[in-house]
Amino acid sequence: QVQLVESGGGFVQAGGSLRLSCAAFGRSFNNYIMGWFRPAPGKEREFVATISWSFGSTRYADSVKGRFTISRDKAKNTVYLQMNSLEPEDTAVYYCAARVGVVLKTTVDYQYWGQGTQVTVSS
């Protein structure tokens, strides 16, 4: 059974940084896509960033491009989201997700989800 456990959320002032972690358990994640999502007005969850576990290719939402970086550590079975230049609009619960595949996906149809970690950015 796949389990994803997020950590690293917290409270930060605008302009600050946080690094989220997503520890993945239960299987080898070769040929999986890992993603980060957050709720948005009018949507259950919106895409933030995604990475191919096998190849390391990445894709970002326009709203975070240049500020956020997604990466993975295969030895630790962990995916990271480095968030810099945080803005109050980034305040949200951030969810880690996983799905089978090698093509990066920005839609919410991922198979596995973590419980989320809260990020609060004050102005």
Side-chain angles (χ1 to χ4, degrees):
Q1 180 70 15
V2 172
Q3 185 180 13
L4 305 175
V5 181
E6 302 100 328
S7 61
F11 184 93
V12 64
Q13 291 188 328
S17 299
L18 282 174
R19 188 178 78 158
L20 306 184
S21 299
C22 172
F25 304 93
R27 60 160 298 128
S28 166
F29 288 90
N30 287 331
N31 298 319
Y32 269 67
I33 303 298
M34 310 297 288
W36 287 96
F37 291 80
R38 64 189 183 188
K43 301 178 182 179
E44 181 178 352
R45 291 174 187 176
E46 70 170 2
F47 164 73
V48 175
T50 183
I51 187 169
S52 164
W53 190 270
S54 296
F55 303 108
S57 50
T58 59
R59 190 169 174 183
Y60 298 91
D62 288 342
S63 59
V64 306
K65 200 172 295 182
R67 300 188 298 123
F68 291 10
T69 302
I70 189 171
S71 62
R72 88 282 193 237
D73 185 328
K74 290 185 174 182
K76 295 183 179 180
N77 246 31
T78 299
V79 177
Y80 302 100
L81 185 68
Q82 177 67 45
M83 306 186 296
N84 298 329
S85 302
L86 282 161
E87 303 167 352
E89 293 73 23
D90 296 317
T91 295
V93 176
Y94 283 73
Y95 295 91
C96 177
R99 61 169 290 157
V100 175
V102 295
V103 177
L104 298 177
K105 294 288 187 182
T106 63
T107 52
V108 297
D109 53 336
Y110 280 58
Q111 295 164 294
Y112 305 102
W113 294 85
Q115 82 288 350
T117 186
Q118 176 71 46
V119 171
T120 303
V121 185
S122 67
S123 57

